[in-house]
Amino acid sequence: LYGTWALGLWYGSYLIRQDMKRHDYCNYRRDSSGDLREPNNKCISGGDVMTAFLCVLFGGLALLQALPGIAAYQLARSEATRVFKIIDEADATSITDAANVKAAARRASVSTTRGAGTIEFVDVQFSYPARPDRPVCAGLCLDIPAGTTCALVGPS
């Protein structure tokens, strides 16, 4: 970091010095009446050097702050590729099997004997056809009274 500052300021002073050598109007001079003449605005000044240096520095810091987001984006892209590959490889029979499993689960576990609009799940067992060895629901029992809202949330 300190080396970057040293190199940037040295190069800035080099540019100012070269500008002063090339153009007489970039130097402080006394005119014939003894008044001090300031350099022209077209010359490189210390303010110009610091503005450029700080712009490069802050741009670099902003890029460094963006790097973790770029890495997360790349990871998400690679994982999405895996997910899309699995989806593309699923054939029509596995989709039909999944629909049959869902329908069977609904028939076996939903009863409306307790009252109009009451939903009751009793000992629900469920796993996806792609992973039959990993149950999603194992012995789920749940009563949802009429007029209420329920959401089931968890890891997949």
Side-chain angles (χ1 to χ4, degrees):
L1 180 69
Y2 295 118
T4 305
W5 277 92
L7 182 64
L9 294 177
W10 171 83
Y11 187 66
S13 66
Y14 172 79
L15 291 177
I16 293 171
R17 188 172 56 245
Q18 291 301 317
D19 203 27
M20 291 174 80
K21 282 183 184 177
R22 285 190 196 117
H23 308 288
D24 185 46
Y25 57 82
C26 291
N27 295 311
Y28 284 96
R29 300 273 186 217
R30 293 213 178 262
D31 59 10
S32 58
S33 64
D35 293 332
L36 187 62
R37 182 179 53 102
E38 293 188 11
N40 195 317
N41 286 338
K42 295 187 279 185
C43 303
I44 298 174
S45 68
D48 297 333
V49 170
M50 287 305 295
T51 299
F53 183 72
L54 290 175
C55 285
V56 170
L57 180 72
F58 291 144
L61 291 175
L63 186 62
L64 285 175
Q65 287 181 338
L67 286 178
I70 293 170
Y73 173 73
Q74 288 296 80
L75 178 64
R77 280 189 63 185
S78 67
E79 293 299 320
T81 302
R82 287 181 47 206
V83 169
F84 291 142
K85 183 178 177 184
I86 291 169
I87 290 170
D88 290 340
E89 289 174 355
D91 56 1
T93 58
S94 65
I95 293 170
T96 304
D97 290 343
N100 291 340
V101 169
K102 278 185 175 181
R106 284 190 189 116
R107 284 192 302 272
S109 61
V110 177
S111 66
T112 58
T113 58
R114 293 186 49 206
T118 299
I119 300 173
E120 181 181 6
F121 291 98
V122 179
D123 196 29
V124 174
Q125 310 286 328
F126 178 74
S127 62
Y128 291 105
R131 288 184 163 180
D133 59 322
R134 303 219 31 209
V136 177
C137 294
L140 174 69
C141 296
L142 180 65
D143 283 338
I144 305 172
T148 60
T149 303
C150 177
L152 302 176
V153 180
S156 57

